[in-house]
Amino acid sequence: MQGLHLTADLHGCRCAMEWLTEADPLAEYCVRAVHAAGLQAVARVVHSFPATEQGPGGVTATVLLAESHLCVHTWPEQRAVTLDVYVCNLGGDHSAKAHALLAALLELFDATQVQQHQLLRGTPPQG
């Protein structure tokens, strides 16, 4: 059950607005990025949120992976995005692929501020 969980909070995204508001193009990009990173997409779910007084609605795009998942949440009114990439490393080390996937998404959104975290999951406690 050991795995690697990568997260990133993006602010000041300079990408085209469609990447923050259009569910289908974002989901298709995510699936292509998953394959380019050498991971296996097994399903995808996307949801568009309605516009509010603050601006256009955002998108949640989730790609289920044979290795675990990718999830993207957008807030176009803030030009912000959160990214979540988790890979299980039980049958092999997919860490480099997870980093490649995250890098592709960071490039797409082109944020002025990025806060990244990395968590090793499923490591048994020592003692």
Side-chain angles (χ1 to χ4, degrees):
M1 117 174 182
Q2 294 176 339
L4 176 65
H5 197 159
L6 305 174
T7 65
D9 298 338
L10 287 56
H11 299 276
C13 294
R14 296 174 288 204
C15 61
M17 186 58 84
E18 77 172 302
W19 297 118
L20 303 173
T21 60
E22 300 294 326
D24 288 334
L26 179 58
E28 290 170 14
Y29 179 89
C30 289
V31 170
R32 286 193 308 271
V34 161
H35 290 293
L39 297 167
Q40 183 180 356
V42 296
R44 75 178 199 185
V45 177
V46 293
H47 179 76
S48 296
F49 293 90
T52 67
E53 294 175 0
Q54 289 76 38
V59 174
T60 292
T62 302
V63 180
L64 300 178
L65 307 175
E67 301 82 4
S68 199
H69 72 266
L70 159 67
C71 197
V72 178
H73 303 281
T74 73
W75 287 267
E77 70 280 9
Q78 297 178 25
R79 296 204 69 93
V81 174
T82 60
L83 303 172
D84 187 278
V85 177
Y86 179 51
V87 293
C88 298
N89 287 331
L90 187 59
D93 189 353
H94 302 289
S95 298
K97 296 173 184 179
H99 283 286
L101 176 56
L102 184 64
L105 292 163
L106 291 173
E107 183 177 338
L108 171 70
F109 291 112
D110 190 24
T112 59
Q113 297 176 350
V114 177
Q115 183 179 27
Q116 295 183 55
H117 295 282
Q118 175 175 304
L119 177 65
L120 297 177
R121 310 252 336 244
T123 304
Q126 295 185 11

